[in-house]
Amino acid sequence: MTVERRSEPRLGVAMRVGLALIATGIASAGLGRRALSGSGADVPLAVAFGCVAILLVLASLQRPPRVSAWIGLALAAGIYIATAVALAETALGMVAYFGAAAFATWRTAPHLRAFTVAAFALWTPALGVFATRGDTVLPMPVLLAAMFALAYTVAALVDPSRVHPSDRLRRTGFGIVAIAIMAGLFDRHLAVGSSGLAPDDLLAMLVAFALPLLAHLRVRPATRDVVATSLVLTTFALVGLVCLSVVPYHADAVAAVHRMAELFLSGQDPYAVFDLPEALARFRMDPELATHLEGRAVLHSYNYPALSFLVVAPFVALGVGDIRWVYLGGVLVIAIVVMSRLRMAWRPMALATIVGNAIVLRQPILAGIDPTWALLVIGAWLALGRAWLSPVLLGLAFAARQTAWFVAPFYVALVWQRSGPREAMRRALIAAAIAVAVNVPFFARAPERFIDGVSAPILGALEPDGVGLVRFGLSGIGPLLPRVAYGALALVVFAVLLAVFVRWRRGLTSAPLVWPFLPLYFAWRSLQNYFVLATLFVFVADEELAPEVPPPITR
């Protein structure tokens, strides 16, 4: 049974967690700005994701620099104030907001300052208050509840009285996750408007007031944790329900997976007969939503490994007409799995990186980008001490989506350093065998179409897109380099990060799970779903946040 640890968090641990939360807030603010302005992916969004990458690097260090909290504050203020300058009549309100953030941060104990910055960075309703021309986005009662959540959290952090460190940490965590649920609700209102107070509005208001009260009640820690987690996840599920009830399929990825499942269930060879334009027509979607090649030709093949559609096939067989419900359930499972493997004090903050993360709401839930690979990678990481289960789960992740492939070198390097080359190679072979076993039946039936489709996201001549470095070239800020140049740059960054990890592993914490995705910022296609749970990975791979020392590797 997990017990509540009654001690002061170490400076490095608190700083790492706080930086992950700040990064979550900046990513959500960048996406909020895009929604408010009505633009597509643009340079400000690429700048926001660049800030996220910087903070993730700092969050993976065993001892982040003491100025990291102030760096996070500067980056968050830059994103928010730039949004106000672009969208509001005046930026004075946002400047005052971050002036208050700077003062509160200065008044907070040094080892907790990152949490104060995170509270302000996560509070994306500030965009509605200070970066619009009169429309606050959230209904007034909900906005007042969001203000209360922020005020409570900041008060808990700057409180000069002699509060027990564990009590202050618990109150801070509950306040931050209350802010995060309000941020998620704000993003829902940006995506799906509602008149009056919707059910998720009412439940979010309850969370904003109930969690601070629960943080002060004298109840069993386990009971308090279950009640708080249940309230937050129920509210987030209701937010997702509202979104899925209103917004139809609008991304080619979800239509492709759904259509592949239908073809598989009908007994056809899915890779051989799949056609992306036909899949879009099947779900009455705009043909322009199809992924394009350079030169604007339309991609026709299916681009993902077989487990991507095998996971949803049983649900399609049962008559589920919208597979995004499956992905919403997958996100909730990810939250529950991660919560179960963290110390109680850190659970609310890890939960905040899911429910307050606009990428999560907009990619796995609204757009229907399959999160199965992330669930399997998390499972593999949490099962590192299990010599068979961990590589099997990793192999299944490889069989679900190519994004998981980037974890492989870091995983092998970590196991090599911990248990030697023989164990590392054994696990690599197991993972590869599982991935091949899942996909080989489909490869054997249509080898050319299978290779052409699965290799397309990495080697195909797809048109440039994303929230990374390529966005600057697409927008005319600097040259648009050839596709191979971006690929080479991403590969060099990947190799450098891997070498740094191997050389200085003892000075790093979550690097082997967080760093594999950072080079994708420099790629020809740097889609936001590549970074969907990067801030949560900081919690998953940081062993100091686990309830106990990981057990030795056993067979």
Side-chain angles (χ1 to χ4, degrees), residues 80-365:
Y80 274 88
I81 293 174
T83 300
V85 169
L87 303 181
E89 294 180 356
T90 174
L92 290 178
M94 193 68 82
V95 171
Y97 176 74
F98 275 95
F103 178 75
T105 302
W106 173 66
R107 294 290 299 169
T108 304
H111 68 290
L112 299 177
R113 282 176 176 163
F115 295 141
T116 304
V117 177
F120 284 93
L122 279 167
W123 203 72
T124 52
L127 295 174
V129 176
F130 303 117
T132 61
R133 299 176 184 269
D135 181 13
T136 60
V137 181
L138 290 177
M140 187 53 65
V142 181
L143 181 59
L144 291 174
M147 290 177 176
F148 173 80
L150 176 62
Y152 167 80
T153 307
V154 174
L157 283 160
V158 303
D159 182 7
S161 61
R162 299 187 54 155
V163 179
H164 193 284
S166 62
D167 292 332
R168 190 187 300 273
L169 189 61
R170 180 180 65 251
R171 295 168 189 174
T172 299
F174 277 39
I176 282 177
V177 77
I179 291 172
I181 206 69
M182 286 299 181
L185 186 66
F186 176 79
D187 198 55
R188 192 279 286 171
H189 275 271
L190 289 176
V192 179
S194 57
S195 58
L197 293 176
D200 56 344
D201 291 324
L202 297 173
L203 197 52
M205 291 170 62
L206 173 63
V207 168
F209 291 108
L211 289 190
L213 176 63
L214 191 60
H216 289 264
L217 289 180
R218 293 184 176 275
V219 296
R220 290 180 56 196
T223 302
R224 179 168 49 221
D225 178 71
V226 169
V227 171
T229 302
S230 300
L231 265 176
V232 171
L233 289 181
T234 301
T235 305
F236 184 70
L238 195 55
V239 168
L241 184 152
V242 171
C243 289
L244 297 186
S245 298
V246 176
V247 181
Y249 283 179
H250 60 279
D252 64 343
V254 66
V257 173
H258 195 152
R259 185 61 181 147
M260 282 290 283
E262 291 179 337
L263 294 172
F264 171 71
L265 292 170
S266 69
Q268 301 181 67
D269 180 1
Y271 283 95
V273 302
F274 175 83
D275 181 70
L276 183 56
E278 186 274 332
L280 295 178
R282 157 72 178 83
F283 297 102
R284 299 181 175 88
M285 296 169 64
D286 185 349
E288 283 301 308
L289 291 174
T291 299
H292 288 78
L293 301 167
E294 292 182 90
R296 297 301 295 168
V298 174
L299 188 70
H300 288 265
S301 59
Y302 183 70
N303 292 344
Y304 310 113
L307 192 62
S308 59
F309 65 85
L310 293 177
V311 167
V312 301
F315 298 94
V316 174
L318 292 173
V320 173
D322 188 337
I323 61 173
R324 293 177 300 174
W325 293 106
V326 180
Y327 298 155
L328 173 59
V331 171
L332 297 176
V333 170
I334 287 173
I336 293 169
V337 168
V338 174
M339 295 307 102
S340 68
R341 296 298 300 268
L342 294 175
R343 289 178 184 161
M344 207 171 290
W346 305 115
R347 291 176 184 175
M349 300 183 191
L351 197 55
T353 66
I354 298 175
V355 302
N357 190 339
I359 313 177
V360 172
L361 184 65
R362 291 185 174 273
Q363 293 296 304
I365 298 173

Side-chain angles (χ1 to χ4, degrees), residues 54-70:
I54 292 170
L55 292 173
L56 287 174
V57 171
L58 293 174
S60 61
L61 303 179
Q62 185 76 34
R63 294 182 178 277
R66 290 181 177 271
V67 298
S68 295
W70 294 105

Side-chain angles (χ1 to χ4, degrees), residues 269-484:
D269 180 1
Y271 283 95
V273 302
F274 175 83
D275 181 70
L276 183 56
E278 186 274 332
L280 295 178
R282 157 72 178 83
F283 297 102
R284 299 181 175 88
M285 296 169 64
D286 185 349
E288 283 301 308
L289 291 174
T291 299
H292 288 78
L293 301 167
E294 292 182 90
R296 297 301 295 168
V298 174
L299 188 70
H300 288 265
S301 59
Y302 183 70
N303 292 344
Y304 310 113
L307 192 62
S308 59
F309 65 85
L310 293 177
V311 167
V312 301
F315 298 94
V316 174
L318 292 173
V320 173
D322 188 337
I323 61 173
R324 293 177 300 174
W325 293 106
V326 180
Y327 298 155
L328 173 59
V331 171
L332 297 176
V333 170
I334 287 173
I336 293 169
V337 168
V338 174
M339 295 307 102
S340 68
R341 296 298 300 268
L342 294 175
R343 289 178 184 161
M344 207 171 290
W346 305 115
R347 291 176 184 175
M349 300 183 191
L351 197 55
T353 66
I354 298 175
V355 302
N357 190 339
I359 313 177
V360 172
L361 184 65
R362 291 185 174 273
Q363 293 296 304
I365 298 173
L366 271 170
I369 307 300
D370 184 8
T372 303
W373 72 270
L375 173 61
L376 291 167
V377 166
I378 289 171
W381 218 266
L382 296 178
L384 268 173
R386 307 288 294 275
W388 282 94
L389 178 60
S390 180
V392 166
L393 291 175
L394 191 64
L396 291 173
F398 297 162
R401 208 167 184 91
Q402 296 93 325
T403 317
W405 298 357
F406 295 94
V407 177
F410 284 86
Y411 179 89
V412 170
L414 178 63
V415 175
W416 188 306
Q417 292 182 335
R418 285 185 171 186
S419 307
R422 183 175 180 180
E423 177 65 14
M425 290 300 101
R426 188 187 69 83
R427 291 192 180 208
L429 289 174
I430 292 173
I434 293 295
V436 169
V438 172
N439 285 280
V440 73
F442 302 97
F443 168 79
R445 297 175 68 183
E448 186 175 345
R449 289 274 293 178
F450 182 92
I451 294 174
D452 180 57
V454 174
S455 65
I458 298 175
L459 302 177
L462 304 181
E463 65 178 358
D465 192 17
V467 295
L469 185 66
V470 72
R471 182 55 52 187
F472 295 90
L474 290 171
S475 301
I477 303 176
L480 179 63
L481 303 175
R483 177 165 54 94
V484 66

